[in-house]
Structures are given as structure tokens and as C-alpha cells.
Amino acid sequence: MSLFNDQSLKIYNSISKTKELFSTVTPGNVGMYVCGPTVYSHVHLGNVRTFMSFDLVYRYLQHLEYKVRYVRNITDAGHMEDDADEGEDKIAKKARVEKIEPMEIVQRYTLDFHDVLNQLNNFPPNIEPTATGHIVEQIEIIRDILSKGLAYEVNGSVYFDVLKYNETKTYGVLSGRKIADAIHNTRSLEGQSEKKNPQDFALWKKASPQHIMRWPSPWGIGFPGWHLECTAMSTKYLGEKFDIHGGGMDLKFPHHECEIAQAEACNGYSPVNFWMHANMLTLNGQKMSKSTGNHILPGEIFSGENTVLSKPFSPAVVRFFMMQAHYRSVLDFSSEALEASEKGYLKLVEAIKNLSTIEPSKTSTLDISAWKQACYDAMNDDFNSPILIANLFEGVKYINLLKEKKASVTQEDLEIFTSTIHSFVYDVLGLVTETAAQGSNKLEGVVNMLIGMRKQARDNKDWSLSDLIRDELSALGIQLKDGKEGTSFTVEE
């Protein structure tokens, strides 16, 4: 029997605004779609947080032994500036500025996107479709919506008729926005657009002569609207009804709202059971954004070449920092926060390394079973990674007690404990020791060198130098412990 049968996972559904017991369209299988990047520039850390949040979801669903099909798209056309229906395509604009082909821009920044997520140990999706690779499917959806009288064509462009749709359905079901309020707030714009109503959104746009990215269609040469690609690709690979659709909080309106309307217009029902939205990462108390320049690139964090942080931080530490906040919570990025995360991460890694030295006993004085279930309970509560991490640090306390022989565990409990802590740290949270260990190994090498110098000073009865080394290390949070087998050290959190 699969592990998911023993665990009751609840997920916060953005539509119902409540946590709901997770069940799947097809038993034992999960279809999950996440809105991917528009690849016209380097992916910044705020974008990365969203993808890391859904990497956590993907990992835990796999850990529960679901068979998961994870689809995440690449937007390589149709995304206009300011997420509007007018203006210039973001990728085409970058290509025009740099005087190269749009697909060169797409290739460059898709590779950058993959490289960054790989460094942060994100699993790749099972399918990563592109908007330009699904023009035919998008045209067919437009045909279907037009045939049902829920869209109209004007001068080679096709728009979704929101007011017509709203006669039988509810546009705004996800964001809670009211059409009546939208009409009231946009009356002054009427007459300035070819749309029937300002609320209508583009399914297909006629390409101006200077527009680089263009395709033939029944309505003339043009390109698809940004919202349409996700409807086309999600339903193609996951079916007309699937389990989870995720993205950043900023996509809730209008992007996801438009996706719901498009799918309901075609099929008569909402396409997704659970809508999930990851919250933003802030810098200097403001949302990270490419357009405002208030952002930091992951590579700048790893190299230390930035004006925000006190020093470089490894990808493992950055990932641990992200996991310490719930995916629906705003997370503020700062040097102090990363420094605290680094200390906590190294403490966790050190404790797990010490697990191999623990010797089992005939009895257990620790309730390993209850601790294990507490880890599951945290993740079952809408993927609550900060509570999981708190439980893992409770496990660190257990390791220290066992190491100091102030507690005991049986062989069976030790195996359960070891397996559980490894599963949640490495498989679910996606943490790795290799990258972080580089900094840890350097620290260990320097401290061991100082321990050797201190021993030599003690052998020479140079007590002042011996005490100076010990006190200076202590001031840095590194505690020396002299024993029969030599001197060891621990790093305080």
C-alpha cells in the first residue's frame, strides 16, 4: 500500500480559501501544472522562490508515493509588457534592443533558468512545453471559444468576451474581483480600444508590420495571447480536469482568472481542483521585480558580487533559507537572515553527520514514532516546511542527547530515525551537503589547524597562547571540547 494512503494531506485551495483534504482525479496519480518563466532576462531570486516552492510540493507528493506528472511551461512568445494586451512582446523587445533573433534570447535565458534551478537542486519537470511549440493547439481553442459565442474577432485580433461569459459563469471566482466594480472603474477607457469592453482579453493579436514573432491563423498573421498558452498546454498534457495548478501570487489576476474562463468556455467546467499560489520574496521591504530593479540574481549571491550581502552564500544555504518560510508567507531577504540560515543549516548537517556514530541500546527513551509522525503532520498541513524544520531541529536535540549518552534508542528506532531524517532533509526539502560542505570543510580545516596549534602550545606549556586560541574561537561561536581522544569542536547556532 502506498504511503499516501496513510497520510491525510491538506492543501490550501486559493478558490475556496480554505485547506481541503487532497484527493486526486485519478487514484494514485497527480497532474500538476506550474506557470513557468518568460525567458527574456536572467531569473531573479523572487522568481526562483515560486519554482522552489513547487519543487517542495513535487518532492513531497513523490515521497508519498504518488505518480506525479509535473508540467511547467516556458513562455517564449505572447507575453506583452505590463501583462497587457497592447505594447511590445517582452522577448521581441529584448531581441530588438540586442539586434539578435528572438529565439536566441529564448535559448540564452532558458539555459540560464535551468542552470540556476539545477544549482539550487530543483527537480526538472516531467514535461516543459513552450508556447511557440503549441500554436496549433492555441488556434484550435480559439476556434472552439468563438464557436460558442464567447469571443469575437476585430481587425485580425480575437478577444474573449468577459461580459458574455459572465452571463452564465463567474469571471473573478479566483481573485474575488467583481465585474460590476471593474466596469465602473474602467468606463473612462471605453472608445480607446477595439475591444467591446475593457475587461475583455486577447486570445489572438494581429501582428503589426514591425512585430518580429508572428504566425499565420484563420484571422490573419499574428500571435497568441499570453493567457492562452497555459490553457492549451495544461489540458493537452494533463487532461481537461487535473489536480493542481500553481504559480506566483501575482498571477492570480488576470492570468489564472483568464485560464479558468478559457477552460470553462471550452469544456463547461473549471479545469483544476486545487489552485496554489506562492507568495513573494521581498528585498528592502519591497517586492522583488525586474521592472523596478529591486532584485538580486542567484549568481550574485553565490559569488558575493553584490551590494546587499556581507559575503557569498552557497546554493544549499539559500535553499534552506527559502524552506524556513511557508510558501504562502511573504519572505524578506537580507544578509542577516541568510547568516542565521547558514548557522542553522550547518548545525543540521553536522548533527546528521554524527548520526553514524550513535550506538543502539536495548531500550528507547525517545519517542521516535511520535517525532516521525510530527514531521509528516507538518508537511500534511499544506506543506508547512517551517514546522517541519522545527521538528528536524528537535531531531538534532535527540542526536546530541544520544551522542552524549543522555538518551538511548533501540536498533529499530535508530534505523527509523535515520531513514526519516534523511528522507525529509534530502528528499523532501531537497537540501544537499556537497555545496554547503565546501564552506563547512574549509571551516573545519581552519579550526583543526588552530586545534593543532593549541595542542602544540599546550605541549610547550604556553598556556597563554592555548587560552587565547580557545577564547578567540569561542567568541566566534566555535566551542572546543577536550576529551580522551583529542579535541573536538561544535559551531553554535
Side-chain angles (χ1 to χ4, degrees):
M1 184 176 289
S2 298
L3 185 56
F4 62 77
N5 290 305
D6 299 326
Q7 303 296 330
S8 297
L9 171 62
K10 289 187 175 182
I11 300 178
Y12 183 87
N13 194 336
S14 295
I15 282 191
S16 67
K17 297 176 177 56
T18 59
K19 293 177 187 176
E20 300 176 13
L21 186 64
F22 182 61
S23 62
T24 58
V25 174
T26 304
N29 294 263
V30 176
M32 181 171 78
Y33 185 90
V34 173
C35 291
T38 300
V39 282
Y40 70 100
S41 64
H42 294 290
V43 59
H44 68 68
L45 200 65
N47 302 136
V48 165
R49 188 195 179 193
T50 294
F51 304 121
M52 201 175 293
S53 295
F54 288 102
D55 184 62
L56 174 70
V57 172
Y58 180 38
R59 285 171 173 275
Y60 188 58
L61 292 172
Q62 286 190 312
H63 176 75
L64 292 181
E65 299 175 341
Y66 282 106
K67 183 178 180 180
V68 186
R69 176 177 284 181
Y70 174 21
V71 182
R72 186 186 66 212
N73 72 303
I74 293 288
T75 296
D76 57 353
H79 193 169
M80 314 302 278
E81 291 186 284
D82 299 322
D83 300 344
D85 286 335
E86 307 297 332
E88 194 168 7
D89 183 292
K90 293 184 176 184
I91 293 167
K93 179 180 179 180
K94 191 65 174 281
R96 178 177 55 77
V97 169
E98 297 198 16
K99 294 182 173 58
I100 59 176
E101 283 290 327
M103 285 301 118
E104 289 185 65
I105 295 294
V106 167
Q107 179 73 357
R108 176 192 302 170
Y109 293 114
T110 298
L111 291 174
D112 170 72
F113 173 68
H114 289 157
D115 180 57
V116 167
L117 292 196
N118 183 57
Q119 288 183 73
L120 289 161
N121 200 34
N122 276 30
F123 283 157
N126 303 112
I127 302 173
E128 193 172 48
T130 64
T132 57
H134 295 78
I135 299 295
V136 171
E137 290 85 349
Q138 294 176 76
I139 288 175
E140 286 307 306
I141 290 175
I142 297 171
R143 285 181 185 271
D144 190 10
I145 298 174
L146 277 168
S147 72
K148 291 171 179 172
L150 294 172
Y152 55 93
E153 186 263 336
V154 181
N155 300 324
S157 294
V158 182
Y159 296 97
F160 189 94
D161 193 331
V162 171
L163 296 188
K164 184 69 174 177
Y165 169 83
N166 212 54
E167 290 176 5
T168 56
K169 301 288 186 179
T170 304
Y171 183 79
V173 64
L174 178 63
S175 62
R177 300 196 182 200
K178 304 294 184 184
I179 283 291
D181 295 337
I183 292 172
H184 176 75
N185 292 331
T186 56
R187 285 192 189 280
S188 61
L189 298 177
E190 293 181 6
Q192 298 179 19
S193 168
E194 62 186 12
K195 300 178 186 179
K196 287 183 180 178
N197 304 287
Q199 299 76 29
D200 298 345
F201 57 88
L203 299 175
W204 187 266
K205 286 288 292 180
K206 179 181 179 180
S208 61
Q210 65 269 24
H211 198 94
I212 305 174
M213 306 179 80
R214 49 207 290 133
W215 292 266
S217 80
W219 315 284
I221 302 297
F223 53 93
W226 172 42
H227 312 303
L228 190 62
E229 63 177 279
C230 289
T231 297
M233 291 185 278
S234 63
T235 54
K236 175 171 182 173
Y237 296 110
L238 299 176
E240 293 176 357
K241 189 79 171 179
F242 57 95
D243 301 297
I244 297 172
H245 192 314
M249 196 76 75
D250 56 332
L251 296 181
K252 188 181 288 188
F253 186 90
H255 187 53
H256 290 163
E257 203 72 80
C258 295
E259 280 192 61
I260 292 173
Q262 290 164 165
E264 287 216 21
C266 290
N267 305 318
Y269 48 82
S270 182
V272 182
N273 280 343
F274 288 83
W275 284 91
M276 297 179 65
H277 292 92
N279 217 324
M280 71 179 72
L281 186 68
T282 58
L283 176 63
N284 301 319
Q286 301 294 321
K287 176 187 172 183
M288 281 198 189
S289 170
K290 295 176 185 176
S291 59
T292 63
N294 187 54
H295 68 268
I296 187 168
L297 301 179
E300 295 171 338
I301 301 170
F302 307 152
S303 68
E305 296 174 1
N306 61 80
T307 59
V308 178
L309 304 176
S310 60
K311 62 174 186 176
F313 292 93
S314 72
V317 169
V318 173
R319 185 175 181 100
F320 186 63
F321 161 74
M322 297 281 200
M323 294 295 142
Q324 286 183 293
H326 190 270
Y327 77 90
R328 286 192 290 115
S329 300
V330 175
L331 175 61
D332 193 54
F333 181 84
S334 68
S335 189
E336 293 77 15
L338 276 178
E339 287 169 15
S341 292
E342 184 176 57
K343 289 179 181 178
Y345 177 75
L346 293 176
K347 181 178 180 180
L348 182 60
V349 169
E350 181 68 20
I352 293 174
K353 186 173 70 174
N354 288 332
L355 252 178
S356 60
T357 66
I358 304 299
E359 295 182 359
S361 302
K362 294 181 179 180
T363 59
S364 289
T365 59
L366 300 171
D367 193 341
I368 299 301
S369 178
W371 171 82
K372 176 181 177 179
Q373 189 55 49
C375 292
Y376 278 103
D377 289 345
M379 287 302 291
N380 289 338
D381 183 17
D382 194 31
F383 309 99
N384 201 323
S385 58
I387 298 299
L388 170 63
I389 290 171
N391 287 320
L392 292 175
F393 275 105
E394 186 68 19
V396 169
K397 291 180 183 178
Y398 287 3
I399 293 170
N400 291 334
L401 288 172
L402 292 167
K403 184 182 176 184
E404 296 168 6
K405 301 194 182 302
K406 294 179 181 178
S408 63
V409 288
T410 62
Q411 179 67 40
E412 181 182 8
D413 276 350
L414 182 58
E415 289 175 1
I416 292 171
F417 181 68
T418 302
S419 173
T420 302
I421 201 165
H422 275 84
S423 291
F424 280 104
V425 170
Y426 301 122
D427 298 339
V428 175
L429 291 178
L431 301 175
V432 294
T433 57
E434 290 82 6
T435 305
Q438 294 174 2
S440 180
N441 289 339
K442 289 178 182 177
L443 173 66
E444 187 173 350
V446 171
V447 174
N448 283 332
M449 179 185 69
L450 291 170
I451 288 173
M453 293 173 62
R454 179 170 174 266
K455 181 179 182 301
Q456 186 176 13
R458 286 160 67 91
D459 291 343
N460 294 334
K461 296 183 171 27
D462 188 349
W463 308 118
S464 59
L465 178 57
S466 170
D467 291 345
L468 177 64
I469 293 172
R470 180 198 63 205
D471 293 343
E472 288 293 328
L473 287 173
S474 178
L476 295 171
I478 300 169
Q479 302 299 324
L480 301 184
K481 186 174 182 180
D482 297 316
K484 293 180 181 179
E485 298 179 358
T487 302
S488 60
F489 73 93
T490 58
V491 180
E492 292 182 349
E493 185 176 0

